[in-house]
Amino acid sequence: MADRRGLLIILSSPSGAGKSTLAKRLREWDPTICFSVSATTRPMRPGEVDGKDYVFTDEAAFRHMVAEGEMLEHAHVFGNFYGSPKAPVDVSINAGCDVLFDIDWQGAQQIRNSALHEHVLSVFVLPPSITELRRRLESRGQDSAETVAKRMMKSWDEISHWDAYDYVLINDDLDATYDRLQTIVMAERLRLKQQPGVPVHVRALQTEFEEQS
């Protein structure tokens, strides 16, 4: 038995709020934290590796997994299906390893309603201001003005679901925000429901107490 159960760590935010950088730092701090590898029906792109970037499958197989309850969450996006297979997540958390999910509020809600809901830790990352969010998106230099505009339009819908999460962090200082995120993860790991060995230890103490009485 592992010393603890792993957490399902959900990180959500509008694009540009710093979620990806925070996730990277979290994994550098603890390399045992793994990303959930999503399944998808979209075609594999050059350079992608099946099982590493995505689990590539066809629509019939994907729909079968959903029907059999083998997906923690799933969505239909731009003509393709995406989802988080449950089996590898079960294996990881039973081995005491946390699993990191980079998903939106709809996926987070589905996982919260799944059989693994008691092991979920959800964190939403807010930008300090809309002006700063736009500046960050534009400073990347990766997207066209049209794409930035679309991301900004979508950001408010994402932000409006902030209160569906366990924790909300305002990322006005990346180092300070990361420190708070790390503190949250360490504290959640110590919750009683994450420590299967505690009831066993208490029973041993009770037996010892009775033997000495």
Side-chain angles (χ1 to χ4, degrees):
M1 179 186 294
D3 293 336
R4 68 176 182 89
R5 293 290 299 277
L7 293 166
L8 281 67
I9 304 173
I10 297 172
L11 278 182
S12 301
S13 78
S15 181
K19 171 184 60 181
S20 297
T21 302
L22 290 169
K24 180 182 177 182
R25 287 197 179 189
L26 204 58
R27 295 188 70 203
E28 289 172 350
W29 165 63
D30 184 352
T32 68
I33 298 175
C34 61
F35 264 118
S36 171
V37 179
S38 297
T40 184
T41 59
R42 76 158 174 77
M44 188 186 304
R45 295 169 182 163
E48 289 184 329
V49 178
D50 187 21
K52 179 182 179 182
D53 299 292
Y54 286 95
V55 174
F56 293 93
T57 186
D58 58 32
E59 186 171 329
F62 191 101
R63 288 183 179 276
H64 178 76
M65 291 178 72
V66 172
E68 293 298 312
E70 297 174 7
M71 288 288 186
L72 284 171
E73 58 85 26
H74 65 280
H76 189 249
V77 183
F78 300 126
N80 295 298
F81 287 95
Y82 295 82
S84 302
K86 180 175 179 290
V89 175
D90 267 327
V91 171
S92 292
I93 67 170
N94 286 333
C97 297
D98 302 325
V99 181
L100 190 59
F101 294 81
D102 180 356
I103 54 178
D104 65 11
W105 68 272
Q106 292 170 310
Q109 188 175 49
Q110 289 182 53
I111 292 180
R112 275 217 167 276
N113 293 331
S114 75
L116 300 179
H117 65 91
E118 65 177 339
H119 304 294
V120 171
L121 161 60
S122 61
V123 182
F124 193 87
V125 182
L126 287 170
S129 69
I130 297 301
T131 300
E132 174 62 14
L133 182 65
R134 183 185 297 277
R135 187 198 67 78
R136 291 177 185 177
L137 287 174
E138 291 175 343
S139 66
R140 288 177 176 178
Q142 298 175 346
D143 300 317
S144 66
E146 182 182 0
T147 299
V148 169
K150 287 180 179 178
R151 292 188 187 279
M152 289 301 299
M153 288 293 293
K154 185 180 178 184
S155 67
W156 182 246
D157 177 60
E158 295 168 325
I159 290 172
S160 69
H161 297 283
W162 63 271
D163 58 351
Y165 290 75
D166 298 318
Y167 298 89
V168 177
L169 299 176
I170 300 173
N171 187 19
D172 50 0
D173 179 280
L174 185 61
D175 290 336
T177 303
Y178 168 69
D179 288 343
R180 292 195 291 270
L181 177 59
Q182 187 187 66
T183 298
I184 289 168
V185 171
M186 289 190 294
E188 290 288 328
R189 285 175 170 180
L190 294 175
R191 283 189 180 272
L192 182 56
K193 64 185 178 183
Q194 297 303 119
Q195 299 189 72
V198 171
V200 177
H201 183 71
V202 171
R203 286 194 293 272
L205 292 176
Q206 184 178 21
T207 299
E208 184 182 3
F209 180 81
E210 291 171 349
E211 289 174 348
Q212 294 181 11
S213 299

